[in-house]
Amino acid sequence: MSTIAEYLESLRGKSVAVIGMGVSNTPLIRMMLRAGLKVTVCDKSPRERVEELAAELESLGAKFQLGEEYLDKLYRFDVIFRTPGLSPNHPELVKAAEKGREITSEMELFFRLCPCKIFGVTGSDGKTTTTTLISEFLKEAGFNVYVGGNIGKPLLPDVGGMTADDMVVVELSSFQLMTMTLSPNVSVFTNLSPNHLDYHHTMEEYTNAKRNIYLHQKAGDRAVFNFDNDITRELSKEAPAGVTLFSRKSKLEEGVYLRDEAIWLTNAMGSREVLPLADIRIPGVHNIENYMAAIAAVDGVVPDKCVRAVAKRFTGVEHRIELVRELGGVKYYNDSIGTSPTRTMACLDSFQQKLILIAGGYDKGVPFTQLGREICKKVKVLVLCGATAPAIRQAVESAPEFAGSGLEILETHDLAAAVAAAQGAAVAGDVVVLSPACAAFDQFKNFMERGKRFKALVNEL
C-alpha cells in the first residue's frame, strides 16, 4: 500500500468503525466519508454533547453508536480504528481481533503511508519540548517539517502532500505505541518512570508499550536513549539499529554529554562543542536534557549553527514552566504539563528558591513518596486541590524531612480557590507555580484546559 488514495480504495465495500471523535480521529472520519466509505462513529459521549459535530458528520454520511453502549458488537465491522485512549485489551476489541477483524489506528496507518523520514519521541517526561526542539532545528536547517502525533494535529490527512524530502516529527504516547508494528527512522526515548498505571495496570505493560518506538527499526535507523535513567540505559542494549546515548551526569566516550558548561557530541567523526549552556533560554536542568536528546536526534542532519540559532530564541512551550505574570513582586508560573511526580520534581529543581506550589488532580495510581520528600525541601507553602490532595498531603507529612521544614499546607476545593490561597500566602519575591504532579481529568478535559484556566485566574488577580 503506497498512497492514501490506494488505501481508501481498498476499504471500498467494507464497514469501518472509528472509535472516538476527538482531535486525532475527526479528520480521519471526514476523509473516509468524503471518499464514499461506510463509516460508523463510536463515541462514549451522548448525542446532545456532540450534536454540532455529529450533525456535520451525519450530513457526510456517517452513522453513529453513541453513549455507554458505544463499543457494543465491534466485531460486526471489518476495520476498526482504535482511539489511543482505549486499551487494545478491552474485551470488545479482543473479541473483534479473535474474529479476524482488522484493528488499527490513525497513527499506525500514517506510519505505513508516510513517504519521508520520521523522527519519533517518547518517554515519561520531556516529550513535547524535545519534539518541538527537533522540529525547530529541522525548520532552521531549511526542511519542510510536519509536526504531529500526541502534539499538534493528526498527520494522516496531510500524507498525500508529503514528499521524500520532507521531515516528520511525532510525539508518541504509550497509548499510541502499544500496538505499533513500525518504528520511526530516528527514535528518541527521553526517560522512563511510573506513569499512566491507571491505564496500563503494570509498569511492565507501560514499558513494553514504549519499547515499540525502537523495536521495529531497520538497518540505517537510529535510537537515542537517556544514559542517566536506569531503565532507558538498560533498554538501549536491545535496540536493533544504531544507538546514541545522552547524559547530563557522565562524560560519555561516545554520545552527547556536558563539558565546560556546554553540550558536546562525540561520534565516529570526532568530538565537538555543539551548544553553550548560556545560549539556552528555558530554565531547568531537565530542559538541558531535552536539548541533548534533540541534538542527538538531528546529528548529521542539522548543522550546529542551526541548533545555536534556535536556542537563542526559543522560550519554551505553553504550559511548561511558562511565566504568566508578575504581580506585586510575585511571579506566577504555569507548569500544568506537570502531570506526574517526576515532572513536578523537575519543575521544583528549576528554581533557586523555595516555592509556593499548587498541586493535586486526577489519580493515575502513581506513588507520591519521593515527591513528598522533594516538596519538604523545596516548597514553603503547598496548596492542594483535586482528587489526590489527601494522598499528596500524606506523602509530605510522612517524609522524614517534614519535621522542622516549616512547610505550610493549605487544602482548597478547586483551582480558583487554590490560586486565591497562593496569592494570600505570597509576599514580594515569592514564586507561585502550578505543577500538579497529576493529570487534570478530575476537573478538566486535559492539562491544556487546566493551564489556560490557571492563566485566566492569575491574570484576573
Side-chain angles (χ1 to χ4, degrees), residues 142-178:
F143 291 102
N144 185 36
V145 183
Y146 293 86
V147 186
N150 211 35
I151 173 180
K153 64 192 185 75
L155 294 174
L156 190 59
D158 293 333
V159 75
M162 294 179 183
T163 72
D165 296 326
D166 295 334
M167 296 284 182
V168 165
V169 191
V170 287
E171 178 186 316
L172 296 167
S173 69
S174 57
F175 309 155
Q176 288 166 316
L177 285 165
M178 207 167 172

Side-chain angles (χ1 to χ4, degrees), residues 1 3-12 31-32 35 37:
M1 205 74 62
T3 69
I4 187 70
E6 288 173 352
Y7 178 75
L8 293 172
E9 189 56 38
S10 76
L11 294 180
R12 203 163 298 287
M31 184 173 67
M32 292 196 291
L37 301 177

Side-chain angles (χ1 to χ4, degrees), residues 11 16 25 27 40-41 45 96 108 155 157-158 173 177 182 211 216 250 267 309 312 356 359 364 376 388 442 461:
L11 294 180
V16 179
N25 280 343
T40 299
V41 180
S45 304
E108 288 171 79
L155 294 174
D158 293 333
S173 69
L177 285 165
L182 293 170
R211 290 167 70 232
H216 311 289
S250 305
N267 59 19
K312 285 173 182 172
I356 296 173
K364 295 193 285 186
C376 291
T388 56
D442 60 331
L461 292 176

Side-chain angles (χ1 to χ4, degrees), residues 334-376:
N334 165 30
D335 190 51
S336 185
I337 188 62
T339 55
S340 67
T342 50
R343 273 190 184 278
T344 295
M345 287 190 283
C347 174
L348 298 180
D349 279 342
S350 301
F351 295 90
Q352 301 302 308
Q353 66 187 85
K354 284 199 168 188
L355 310 174
I356 296 173
L357 174 67
I358 300 173
Y362 171 79
D363 191 353
K364 295 193 285 186
V366 176
F368 298 111
T369 311
Q370 188 59 38
L371 175 66
R373 301 189 66 173
E374 293 301 307
I375 286 173
C376 291

Side-chain angles (χ1 to χ4, degrees), residues 287-305:
N287 280 317
I288 294 173
E289 293 178 1
N290 294 335
Y291 263 97
M292 297 175 115
I295 286 166
V298 301
D299 183 34
V301 180
V302 171
D304 295 349
K305 65 179 181 181

Side-chain angles (χ1 to χ4, degrees), residues 211-231:
R211 290 167 70 232
N212 281 331
I213 198 165
Y214 61 82
L215 276 184
H216 311 289
Q217 286 189 318
K218 299 177 173 58
D221 290 343
R222 196 156 48 88
V224 174
F225 292 90
N226 185 344
F227 182 81
D228 299 338
N229 181 273
D230 293 343
I231 304 173

